[in-house]
């Protein structure tokens, strides 16, 4: 065994990110409070270099490294690029928010970078062990980030709930993996798939393991009935942490579903398809209906997340390449929309005022027509109104479902998304047709305004020209 | 029934009873001690699997270090058990019902019909000679085949340290600190003030 046999060179983006995260950790300790910007700049630079490395090293070849625990393919490259980019955007949004609340500390960036490393490990996992460790690295960073604002009692409560429920979900996932290991004798995803394809009759223990693994995954993604943590955590966590949780980890969660269910347990797709149908219908129903009753904007977006997870599952349960690429397109665009929506909340917020109630959006058009327009695009996109990308995402998953002769499921999905349009349009009504209750000037921070505008315009641009991203998603699965 | 099987069932029985003790004991100290017993029984079962190194580590690390710390904490905290048990009797029948259904379902699936030495496809593991070093083998795969998961596990521990410190360490303005460096530099003039004053008449 030599170092070359590990083929470690394909993991350079991860290795570099780990080095930089450790560097930020050490540098931050020696910085006085007024020079905290240095931490921020180093973090952003390391994200940019990581992205450049991913782009430079991307190839359509499927390379396996570290004795079969790590894989790099086109799927991993695209998802990693998006995940790193979104975390960089979250960091742009974070600076002013953290400074105003007196929590502009290096730990946020350190934990953010380590969480990102966990996501990249999950995306590149080729072994149940690396998948699980990546997930734990991400979750542990997230728990700490939620509790990060210590003087906020809501955040501590949210962190506690997240931690306890997350630990139960991890236990479920591990138990399922142990069952699969008991039946196949391996944890390597490719060999698990091989062992399953050699089984002649239905193996009840494998299905049993599959159920537990699916529960773990559904929990992390937040599908009904494993969604209870989402509203509390989204509402309780500082908005910047919510925007981190609601975006990049969803992409990593999608990668986890693809690696576990499709690559590993693909031979059992007849079993998980039915389970996903149930999860998906329940998620769309509960998410869209309960969101109507919310008065808190973050809580409403939490329920909207649940309903979008239902839509993503529609694509996965089609169990064919068209469905997978539709689900991937949906996940990537949803992460962008969610990022923008939480960005608007942070734009309206200031010290001592979180702007997380629906009424705080009243008359946004009078205060800032441009950002009201951005929010309009984001809400239209979440609702799935045509000139925005959300429409294409919904169309693609619905088409995938119809193609496998599940017309009724597509009808159910359309029915619930029409219900969902109500609460997205209510926000637009509040912004454009109600009078502003307060006229405090919007926050400026040039970097944030530029990033937020780019975010909103990207949704619109992708809506007008969806073909490039769509082609990318299709190419990954062919 | 072979000797190994007798040992297995004996320790498994001890483990299950001790685990029940962990969650049903009234006194938290008894719970913690039951957990120690559970760990011991688990270590014995691992011995049967020829995983001596893991068995010894479990006893040394968990029983020797973690549980002792845990006992300290339990003894120091004044945990109000009656308050925590408020809903216990009310939910007990429902809890038992759910647990029973779960147990029956799981036995049906993961019971001896699907797992066990007499089921096809499950050969008993190869027995190694007495000089076979379990520790060496573990070390070999840990730093070669599993070096990537090993590194990620290390990062997880690092994040745990960062999280624990960032959540608990804070500067409290009202706390009074000593600065030993300044203390030893103190001179007589800093502390003692000599005042000249008139002597007073004796009354």
């Amino acid at each position: 065994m030599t170092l070359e046999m590990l083929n470690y060179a394909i993991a350079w983006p991860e290795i570099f990110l780990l080095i930089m995260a450790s560097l930020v950790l050490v540098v931050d300790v020696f910085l006085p409070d007024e020079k905290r910007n240095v931490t921020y700049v180093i973090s952003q630079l390391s994200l940019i270099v990581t992205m450049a490395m991913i782009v430079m090293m991307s190839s359509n070849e499927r390379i396996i490294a570290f004795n079969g625990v790590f894989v790099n393919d086109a799927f991993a490259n695209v998802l990693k690029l998006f995940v790193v980019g979104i975390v960089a955007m979250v960091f742009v949004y974070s600076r002013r928010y953290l400074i105003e609340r007196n929590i502009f500390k290096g730990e946020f960036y350190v934990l953010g970078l380590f969480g990102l490393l966990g996501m990249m490990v999950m995306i590149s996992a080729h072994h149940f062990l690396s998948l699980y460790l990546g997930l734990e690295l991400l979750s542990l960073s997230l728990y700490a980030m939620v509790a990060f604002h210590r003087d906020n009692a809501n955040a501590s409560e949210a962190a506690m709930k997240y931690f306890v429920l997350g630990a139960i979900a991890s236990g479920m996932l591990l138990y399922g993996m142990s069952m699969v290991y008991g039946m196949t004798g391996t944890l390597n995803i490719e060999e698990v798939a091989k062992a399953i394809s050699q089984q002649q009759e239905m193996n009840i223990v494998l299905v049993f393991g599959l159920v537990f693994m699916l529960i773990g995954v559904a929990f992390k993604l937040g599908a009904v009935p494993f969604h209870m943590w989402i509203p509390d955590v989204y509402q309780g966590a500082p908005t910047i942490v919510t925007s981190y949780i609601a975006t990049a980890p969803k992409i990593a969660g999608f990668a986890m579903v693809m690696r576990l269910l499709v690559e590993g347990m693909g031979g059992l797709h007849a079993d998980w398809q039915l389970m996903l149908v149930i999860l998906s219908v329940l998620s769309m129903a509960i998410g869209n209906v309960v969101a109507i009753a919310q008065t808190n904007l973050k809580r409403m977006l939490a329920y909207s997340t649940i309903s979008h997870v239902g839509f993503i599952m529609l694509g996965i349960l089609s169990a064919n390449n068209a469905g997978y690429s539709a689900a991937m397109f949906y996940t990537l665009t949803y992460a962008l929309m969610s990022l923008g929506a939480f960005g608007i909340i942070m734009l309206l917020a200031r010290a001592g005022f979180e702007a997380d109630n629906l009424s705080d959006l009243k008359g946004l058009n009078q205060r800032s027509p441009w950002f009201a327009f951005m929010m309009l695009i984001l809400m239209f996109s979440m609702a799935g109104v045509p000139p925005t990308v959300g429409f294409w995402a919904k169309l693609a998953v619905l088409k995938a479902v119809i193609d496998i002769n599940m017309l009724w499921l597509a009808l159910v999905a359309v029915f619930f998304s029409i219900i969902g349009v109500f609460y997205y349009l209510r926000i637009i009504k509040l912004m454009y047709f109600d009078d502003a209750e307060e006229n405090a000037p919007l926050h400026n921070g040039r970097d944030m305004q530029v990033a937020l505008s780019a975010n909103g315009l990207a949704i619109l641009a992708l809506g007008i020209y969806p073909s490039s991203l769509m082609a990318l998603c299709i190419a990954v699965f062919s | 029934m072979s000797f190994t099987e007798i040992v297995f069932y004996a320790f498994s029985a001890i483990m299950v009873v001790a685990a029940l003790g962990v969650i049903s004991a009234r006194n938290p100290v008894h719970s913690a001690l039951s957990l120690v017993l559970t760990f011991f029984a688990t270590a014995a079962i691992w011995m049967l699997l020829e995983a001596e190194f893991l068995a010894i580590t479990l006893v040394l690390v968990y029983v020797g270090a973690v549980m002792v710390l845990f006992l300290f904490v339990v003894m120091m905290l004044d945990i109000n058990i009656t308050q925590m048990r408020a809903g216990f009797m009310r939910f007990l029948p429902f809890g038992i019902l759910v647990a029973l259904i779960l147990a029956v379902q799981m036995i049906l699936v993961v019971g001896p019909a699907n797992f066990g030495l007499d089921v096809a496809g499950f050969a008993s593991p190869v027995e190694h000679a007495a000089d076979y070093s379990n520790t060496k083998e573990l070390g070999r795969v840990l730093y070669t085949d599993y070096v990537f998961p090993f590194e990620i596990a290390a990062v997880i521990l690092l994040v745990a340290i960062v999280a624990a410190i960032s959540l608990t360490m804070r500067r409290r303005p009202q706390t009074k600190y000593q600065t030993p460096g300044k203390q030893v530099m103190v001179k007589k003039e800093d502390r003692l003030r000599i005042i000249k004053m008139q002597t007073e008449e004796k009354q």
Side-chain angles (χ1 to χ4, degrees):
Chain A
M1 165 87 47
T2 59
L3 207 54
E4 282 72 43
M5 282 165 70
L6 287 177
N7 207 356
Y8 69 94
I10 67 157
W12 262 120
E14 279 85 355
I15 297 172
F16 174 77
L17 188 66
L18 172 59
I19 294 171
M20 290 312 288
S22 310
L23 186 79
V24 172
L25 180 63
V26 175
V27 167
D28 183 68
V29 173
F30 293 100
L31 285 176
D33 266 342
E34 62 273 11
K35 286 198 181 151
R36 207 54 71 193
N37 266 329
V38 177
T39 310
Y40 169 75
V41 171
I42 301 178
S43 311
Q44 285 290 27
L45 280 180
S46 44
L47 290 180
I48 293 167
V49 177
T50 310
M51 276 171 89
M53 288 171 106
I54 296 170
V55 172
M56 281 195 306
M57 297 179 59
S58 65
S59 70
N60 288 326
E61 240 181 304
R62 187 181 161 84
I63 312 170
I64 291 170
F66 292 105
N67 297 301
V69 298
F70 186 93
V71 65
N72 206 24
D73 46 15
F75 174 69
N77 281 326
V78 174
L79 289 196
K80 275 186 206 169
L81 204 58
F82 266 83
V83 164
V84 180
I86 284 173
V87 171
M89 291 283 276
V90 171
F91 281 6
V92 172
Y93 293 167
S94 73
R95 205 168 59 91
R96 198 184 51 81
Y97 184 91
L98 294 177
I99 292 173
E100 275 179 356
R101 279 154 195 79
N102 252 338
I103 45 173
F104 189 46
K105 297 204 186 85
E107 285 90 2
F108 176 83
Y109 298 101
V110 171
L111 291 170
L113 290 175
F114 277 125
L116 174 64
L117 179 68
M119 289 186 245
M120 289 168 75
V121 170
M122 279 164 80
I123 291 171
S124 268
H126 196 244
H127 196 276
F128 284 173
L129 197 57
S130 45
L131 190 70
Y132 172 72
L133 287 172
L135 177 66
E136 281 306 288
L137 183 53
L138 168 65
S139 310
L140 203 57
S141 309
L142 290 183
Y143 304 146
M145 282 166 87
V146 173
F148 170 70
H149 194 179
R150 286 179 309 202
D151 303 327
N152 183 342
N154 284 341
S156 307
E157 187 194 330
M160 201 62 212
K161 278 180 187 161
Y162 192 18
F163 181 71
V164 171
L165 291 174
I168 294 174
S170 292
M172 295 273 185
L173 184 69
L174 273 185
Y175 187 65
M177 285 177 177
S178 75
M179 284 295 141
V180 174
Y181 179 70
M183 277 296 115
T184 59
T186 175
L187 287 172
N188 185 303
I189 289 177
E190 205 169 295
E191 285 168 30
V192 166
K194 210 181 289 168
I196 289 175
S197 66
Q198 280 162 0
Q199 305 236 338
Q200 283 90 22
E201 69 235 67
M202 192 189 88
N203 188 324
I204 191 163
V205 180
L206 273 180
V207 179
F208 184 73
L210 172 70
V211 171
F212 276 91
M213 276 172 25
L214 197 65
I215 291 175
V217 170
F219 186 91
K220 297 291 175 187
L221 277 177
V224 178
F226 309 104
H227 66 289
M228 284 80 84
W229 60 278
I230 291 215
D232 290 339
V233 171
Y234 275 35
Q235 188 184 1
T239 311
I240 182 64
V241 178
T242 311
S243 74
Y244 186 97
I245 296 178
T247 51
K250 296 287 176 242
I251 300 180
F254 170 72
M256 181 162 93
V257 177
M258 293 304 291
R259 299 279 184 215
L260 269 184
L261 293 191
V262 177
E263 279 182 26
M265 314 289 280
L268 296 173
H269 70 86
D271 295 291
W272 53 253
Q273 194 172 38
L274 194 64
M275 299 176 203
L276 284 184
V277 169
I278 298 169
L279 288 177
S280 150
V281 170
L282 283 178
S283 301
M284 288 186 293
I286 305 271
N288 279 322
V289 173
V290 181
I292 293 173
Q294 305 306 319
T295 54
N296 183 294
L297 189 54
K298 277 155 86 181
R299 219 174 164 79
M300 192 205 88
L301 285 173
Y303 281 103
S304 129
T305 300
I306 296 169
S307 73
H308 285 292
V309 166
F311 265 96
I312 293 170
M313 286 188 164
L314 282 185
I316 301 171
L317 66 84
S318 313
N320 55 34
N321 284 343
Y324 301 149
S325 43
M328 184 171 160
F329 184 80
Y330 202 112
T331 314
L332 295 179
T333 52
Y334 171 69
L336 278 180
M337 296 178 226
S338 185
L339 183 69
F342 284 107
I344 294 279
I345 300 180
M346 279 183 278
L347 184 83
L348 296 177
R350 55 177 184 270
F353 173 67
E354 285 298 325
D356 57 355
N357 280 319
L358 285 181
S359 55
D360 296 333
L361 282 175
K362 274 188 187 166
L364 183 61
N365 186 39
Q366 295 162 1
R367 295 167 67 192
S368 164
W370 174 247
F371 287 106
F373 178 61
M374 288 297 126
M375 190 64 168
L376 173 99
I377 294 174
L378 290 164
M379 287 300 120
F380 269 165
S381 184
M382 283 200 176
V385 176
T388 56
V389 73
F391 169 73
W392 298 106
K394 281 201 166 60
L395 188 70
V397 290
L398 289 176
K399 185 171 172 299
V401 172
I402 293 170
D403 282 349
I404 56 162
N405 293 321
M406 280 186 154
L407 186 61
W408 68 271
L409 192 56
L411 288 175
V412 169
V414 170
F415 173 71
F416 283 118
S417 66
I418 289 171
I419 293 180
V421 169
F422 168 75
Y423 59 87
Y424 297 122
L425 286 182
R426 182 170 60 188
I427 288 187
I428 293 169
K429 180 225 161 214
L430 286 174
M431 289 190 308
Y432 280 89
F433 301 109
D434 285 10
D435 283 329
E437 282 181 351
E438 59 164 321
N439 281 308
L442 284 188
H443 261 293
N444 13 53
R446 186 66 58 190
D447 50 347
M448 172 144 186
Q449 290 192 345
V450 171
L452 201 51
S453 308
N455 194 334
L457 291 176
I459 300 288
L460 193 61
L462 279 172
I464 298 169
Y465 303 105
S467 50
S468 53
L469 183 60
M470 200 58 163
L472 194 65
C473 293
I474 290 171
V476 161
F477 288 105
S478 55
Chain B
M1 201 185 255
S2 70
F3 176 68
T4 346
E5 281 178 54
I6 295 172
V7 174
F8 173 77
Y9 282 116
F11 279 108
S12 305
I14 294 175
M15 191 167 80
V16 172
V17 172
L20 278 176
V22 176
I23 52 170
S24 61
R26 280 191 174 280
N27 188 330
V29 177
H30 294 174
S31 278
L33 288 173
S34 302
L35 196 56
V36 171
L37 184 59
T38 319
F39 283 141
F40 263 114
T42 318
I45 291 177
W46 284 0
M47 278 290 193
L48 278 184
L49 286 171
E50 300 186 358
E52 314 90 29
F53 179 74
L54 289 179
I56 294 167
T57 324
L58 184 71
V59 173
L60 283 183
V61 175
Y62 273 85
V63 177
V66 176
M67 287 314 295
V68 170
L69 275 180
F70 206 83
L71 269 178
F72 269 126
V73 174
V74 166
M75 286 177 181
M76 272 196 277
L77 295 178
D78 183 24
I79 301 169
N80 188 352
I81 310 165
T82 43
Q83 195 189 1
M84 281 167 64
R85 287 180 168 259
F88 185 73
M89 287 312 288
R90 198 154 57 95
F91 296 117
L92 187 64
F94 184 68
I96 288 180
L97 184 74
V98 171
L100 269 183
I101 296 174
L102 267 179
V104 169
Q105 285 177 331
M106 284 170 74
I107 287 169
L108 283 181
V109 178
V110 284
N114 287 308
F115 283 103
L117 292 178
D118 43 350
V119 177
F122 280 96
S124 62
V126 190
E127 285 185 22
H128 294 287
D131 60 347
Y132 177 81
S133 171
N134 185 263
T135 319
K136 199 171 154 188
E137 282 305 300
L138 261 181
R140 196 184 60 76
V141 294
L142 195 58
Y143 299 115
T144 54
D145 291 355
Y146 292 100
V147 65
F148 182 74
F150 179 75
E151 294 293 335
I152 299 300
V155 181
I156 292 180
L157 290 181
L158 180 64
V159 170
I161 297 172
V162 174
I165 293 177
S166 78
L167 293 185
T168 50
M169 205 183 80
R170 58 168 84 201
R171 213 165 274 290
R172 293 170 210 273
Q174 71 273 29
T175 320
K176 295 200 165 38
Y177 293 96
Q178 290 184 326
T179 322
K182 282 190 180 158
Q183 276 182 315
V184 292
M185 297 292 284
V186 151
K187 293 192 197 68
K188 190 172 74 181
E189 294 82 59
D190 301 336
R191 293 280 167 86
L192 191 66
R193 195 155 51 97
I194 298 171
I195 308 167
K196 285 237 183 296
M197 58 185 285
Q198 295 282 314
T199 45
E200 287 176 26
E201 293 286 314
K202 194 175 180 185
Q203 289 170 349

